Amino acid sequence: MKIRFGPFTLDLDTRQLTRGKCEIHLAPKAFELLRTLVVNRPKVLSKAVLLKRLWPKTFVAEANLSNLVAEIREALGDRARAPLFVRTAHGFGYAFCGEGTTLSGATGPDRPACWLEWGRRRFPLSAGEHVVGRDPDVEVSLDASTVSRRHARLVVTAEGTVLEDFGSKNGTFRGSERVTSPVQLADGDSIRIGSLLMTFHVRAAVGSTETEAQPTI
């Protein structure tokens, strides 16, 4: 999947940032930060969430995050005081504030390609990363004691959806199989997050005669 903003294109599959035909180099962590902010735009992500996402099992100083933001701004020609792309939410975190256009594999925010269903609740899954956990800042927030704060994640691309556990205490399961490495999901797969049973759904391809309900939050 590619996302265009201003004169730049961010390719999530090849992990490249380009301006026209010229590639702009970013350190791996800086690219991951930019990708996370762009995919979650325009949501403000807290520094705590970003630190956990970039360094999930390591304690690092907050200055490391500030340095990555500075690297991204320099690469984009952005300015902290008058941002076009990366905005600082003072005392809290950062957000991508530019207008982004998905160039491929897009279905739009109102018609997501897939979703999770938990009882009467549905969580639309647009292209990108969706963290599942008890933390209120994550994309799929589940308030249950058996769910870790950052329990698992789903990564949605044009090629499909992958489920990955974050080393949770009570485990992540696809059917009866415990997820110990990233697994590809199929329509109708049952997923257990701690003690919560959910179902993964994929929207029928264009031209299918299948009738399905519009997913809503």
Side-chain angles (χ1 to χ4, degrees), residues 100-156:
T101 302
T102 302
L103 301 182
S104 63
T107 57
D110 297 326
R111 290 187 61 78
C114 51
W115 65 94
L116 283 179
E117 190 169 79
W118 175 40
R120 295 184 177 182
R121 294 187 65 185
R122 292 187 178 184
F123 298 91
L125 303 172
S126 56
E129 177 183 295
H130 303 265
V131 176
V132 182
R134 200 173 71 251
D135 195 318
D137 286 334
V138 302
E139 290 74 27
V140 181
S141 183
L142 305 170
D143 186 13
S145 60
T146 59
V147 177
S148 300
R149 296 187 67 83
R150 288 173 51 81
H151 195 108
R153 72 171 175 177
L154 297 120
V155 180
V156 182

Side-chain angles (χ1 to χ4, degrees), residues 85-209:
F85 303 114
V86 179
R87 176 175 69 87
T88 300
H90 295 286
F92 185 77
Y94 300 96
F96 187 84
C97 58
E99 292 291 332
T101 302
T102 302
L103 301 182
S104 63
T107 57
D110 297 326
R111 290 187 61 78
C114 51
W115 65 94
L116 283 179
E117 190 169 79
W118 175 40
R120 295 184 177 182
R121 294 187 65 185
R122 292 187 178 184
F123 298 91
L125 303 172
S126 56
E129 177 183 295
H130 303 265
V131 176
V132 182
R134 200 173 71 251
D135 195 318
D137 286 334
V138 302
E139 290 74 27
V140 181
S141 183
L142 305 170
D143 186 13
S145 60
T146 59
V147 177
S148 300
R149 296 187 67 83
R150 288 173 51 81
H151 195 108
R153 72 171 175 177
L154 297 120
V155 180
V156 182
T157 68
E159 286 71 39
T161 301
V162 171
L163 173 66
E164 178 182 2
D165 184 70
F166 273 164
S168 61
K169 180 179 178 180
N170 294 309
T172 300
F173 295 80
R174 180 187 62 178
S176 60
E177 171 193 4
R178 183 159 186 160
V179 175
T180 57
S181 59
V183 295
Q184 191 84 20
L185 296 179
D187 182 42
D189 275 351
S190 61
I191 299 170
R192 183 155 59 85
I193 305 294
S195 63
L196 304 185
L197 186 61
M198 315 180 78
T199 305
F200 174 76
H201 292 286
V202 177
R203 182 170 302 285
V206 175
S208 170
T209 58

